[in-house]
Amino acid sequence: MELTWHGHSTWYVSVDGTDLLIDPFFDNPKTELDPDDVDEPDYVLLTHGHADHIADAGAFSDATLVATPELVSYATDNFGFEDAVGGMGMNLGGTVECGDAWVTMVRADHSNGIETDYESSAGMPAGFVISDKKPTQESDPDSTAFYHAGDTSLMVEMREVIGPFLEPDFAALPAGDHFTMGPAQAAIAADWVSADYAAPMHYDTFPPIEIDTEDFERELKAAGAKAEPVILDGDESFTLE
């Protein structure tokens, strides 16, 4: 599994022959790429409807969309998407097969107005666990899983459901504070999901969410997390084996 961080919450995930792009937003200081520079993904995954997570979705409208039905409807009308998983999207708790990958939509605690507009709702915000095998109650040491937490606060769902049942190997966690978890809560989240690797995201994009990533590394140790910190530069990749 190849994981590439393009800044903010934008990740490009390759699972065998399947490419998935999460929360495309390239107007951030961590990336040097424009949407036209990015290989066309097979699937676009949207965690929620805020502008800093869907702004560049329309550049990839030939892909199959993975999002809540409400957000699928919005993206169909406004971004030109014609295909979505199941024909209408998915919802929390569901697992769908996306080429060589399995995508499970999990809860995130956040707000979810379309483009931060109070007049429109995009359903529940979400996170995703992407794995190379279908998750079951039986632990599979040969399975590889990536957890994109979306925009969220710390929540017991991480400790009670996502960690023990979905077993992520790598956790991408919002750590910019102010709008989401900060380094301390993100470190606790990494411990709760028992990830082997943890990377901060959703930071340094705007002044309110500027952080020192060394704080994230220190907080991981303070939380007793087994996760190895992975501090990526924008457009940098990590191979998860």
Side-chain angles (χ1 to χ4, degrees):
M1 191 179 291
E2 189 82 0
L3 312 172
T4 303
W5 183 56
H6 293 299
H8 204 58
S9 295
T10 304
W11 290 80
Y12 198 99
V13 179
S14 297
V15 183
D16 294 328
T18 301
D19 297 327
L20 309 98
L21 177 62
I22 308 172
D23 285 359
F25 173 64
F26 290 89
D27 187 17
N28 75 76
K30 296 291 187 181
T31 182
E32 297 182 356
L33 302 181
D34 293 321
D36 290 344
D37 300 321
V38 180
D39 291 340
E40 185 73 28
D42 301 295
Y43 297 86
V44 168
L45 283 59
L46 302 179
T47 62
H48 64 295
H50 287 165
D52 55 326
H53 296 261
I54 66 172
D56 292 316
F60 307 98
S61 60
D62 288 339
T64 299
L65 186 59
V66 183
T68 61
E70 294 88 348
L71 194 46
V72 165
S73 294
Y74 178 85
T76 298
D77 290 345
N78 290 273
F79 299 144
F81 282 90
E82 297 182 356
D83 190 22
V85 290
M88 60 183 299
M90 65 182 301
N91 220 313
L92 301 179
T95 297
V96 295
E97 187 174 7
C98 296
D100 296 307
W102 294 89
V103 176
T104 301
M105 182 179 282
V106 297
R107 177 179 168 180
D109 276 356
H110 195 60
S111 62
N112 197 19
I114 288 286
E115 297 183 343
T116 331
D117 186 340
Y118 69 91
E119 294 181 354
S120 304
S121 172
M124 290 290 293
F128 294 103
V129 177
I130 300 171
S131 56
D132 59 0
K133 295 186 178 181
K134 185 177 182 179
T136 68
Q137 290 190 66
E138 296 181 356
S139 180
D140 186 349
D142 295 326
S143 177
T144 302
F146 167 70
Y147 172 38
H148 185 295
D151 278 9
T152 190
S153 63
L154 186 66
M155 56 182 185
V156 294
E157 187 97 351
M158 297 167 175
R159 184 182 62 203
E160 303 297 331
V161 177
I162 297 169
F165 295 111
L166 297 173
E167 299 181 313
D169 301 284
F170 189 112
L173 303 164
D177 222 334
H178 196 87
F179 299 111
T180 67
M181 299 184 292
Q185 290 189 43
I188 296 170
D191 181 46
W192 281 3
V193 301
S194 298
D196 296 320
Y197 304 95
M201 64 175 180
H202 202 279
Y203 69 91
D204 284 2
T205 312
F206 322 111
I209 61 172
E210 293 176 355
I211 65 167
D212 183 344
T213 55
E214 291 184 358
D215 290 342
F216 178 74
E217 297 182 71
R218 285 192 290 268
E219 293 291 352
L220 278 177
K221 292 181 180 178
K226 70 173 185 177
E228 177 183 333
V230 178
I231 311 299
L232 297 175
D233 292 327
D235 306 321
E236 185 178 4
S237 298
F238 181 92
T239 301
L240 183 60
E241 299 177 346

